[in-house]
Amino acid sequence: MSEKKHKARQSSDETSKATTSKKNKFTKETAKRWAFLLFCPPCVYYTVLSLILFAGEAFNESYDIPFLDAPHMLLLFVFLFIFNAANIFLTKKRYNLVLRIAVHFVLTAASFFVCFYILSDYSPGTSATIIQMLVFVIAYAAVCALVLIVRGIFRRTAEESESYEPMYKPVYKYKK
């Protein structure tokens, strides 16, 4: 009897090891998923912003955009890559919403400042830099407030629809 219990424990230990190793195993599918999550959104953002910038320069011949050379476009991609990492953290439900928004803001603002002011040779002056950062913070706060308001509206309507109880019971039951 004790040998059977011992063999049963060994087989259960082996199956639990197999499931945990299978669960933690880095597969080709997880690599594809992570590559898609990390690289696809910044590439889409980069393409859209590049088209907007190039179209703006093409339609307005008198206005010369100083950020359309190769090093600045690379810095734009680095900024968008960090912005995507902040967006991935923002979607993680295991952290508090306030913490997620704070980390997203810090990562976005820091990468914006580093990529467009420190690493680039663009130096508009101290007061212009402060004003541009204030405009960035105000724009971020406005977009964040708008997203939170819309999120609250959708959450409230979802909760109301879940708590709805019909007054009348259906007469006919449909078979599926």
Side-chain angles (χ1 to χ4, degrees):
M1 200 72 166
S2 64
E3 285 183 32
K4 289 181 180 179
K5 287 183 181 179
H6 183 65
K7 287 182 181 181
R9 282 187 188 161
Q10 283 181 345
S11 65
S12 67
D13 289 340
E14 289 173 5
T15 56
S16 66
K17 286 179 185 177
T19 57
T20 55
S21 66
K22 193 176 189 181
K23 189 176 185 181
N24 295 334
K25 188 175 180 182
F26 190 73
T27 62
K28 191 174 184 179
E29 289 79 24
T30 57
K32 284 181 182 180
R33 191 183 84 215
W34 274 101
F36 181 79
L37 282 174
L38 288 176
F39 292 109
C40 189
C43 290
V44 171
Y45 298 152
Y46 180 77
T47 303
V48 170
L49 282 175
S50 298
L51 289 174
I52 290 171
L53 288 174
F54 286 124
E57 187 176 28
F59 289 122
N60 193 0
E61 295 171 2
S62 64
Y63 184 68
D64 187 29
I65 300 174
F67 287 111
L68 291 181
D69 56 346
H72 288 106
M73 295 303 281
L74 182 64
L75 287 175
L76 177 66
F77 184 74
V78 169
F79 165 72
L80 292 172
F81 188 77
I82 296 170
F83 180 70
N84 183 48
N87 283 343
I88 290 173
F89 182 77
L90 190 62
T91 61
K92 298 297 179 188
K93 300 286 185 192
R94 71 178 83 144
Y95 301 109
N96 188 3
L97 181 64
V98 176
L99 175 69
R100 290 184 289 165
I101 291 174
V103 168
H104 186 270
F105 171 73
V106 168
L107 282 175
T108 305
S111 65
F112 180 80
F113 187 73
V114 167
C115 288
F116 295 118
Y117 291 112
I118 294 177
L119 294 179
S120 70
D121 55 354
Y122 179 68
S123 178
T126 307
S127 61
T129 302
I130 291 173
I131 289 171
Q132 289 172 350
M133 286 304 292
L134 282 175
V135 167
F136 176 80
V137 168
I138 291 169
Y140 184 90
V143 170
C144 183
L146 182 67
V147 166
L148 288 176
I149 288 170
V150 169
R151 183 177 179 258
I153 289 170
F154 280 122
R155 178 176 280 170
R156 199 172 317 124
T157 56
E159 288 174 358
E160 288 174 0
S161 66
E162 287 177 2
S163 65
Y164 173 75
E165 294 181 19
M167 289 177 53
Y168 304 104
K169 305 259 183 208
V171 178
Y172 302 105
K173 291 187 179 181
Y174 299 104
K175 295 180 181 178
K176 291 184 181 182

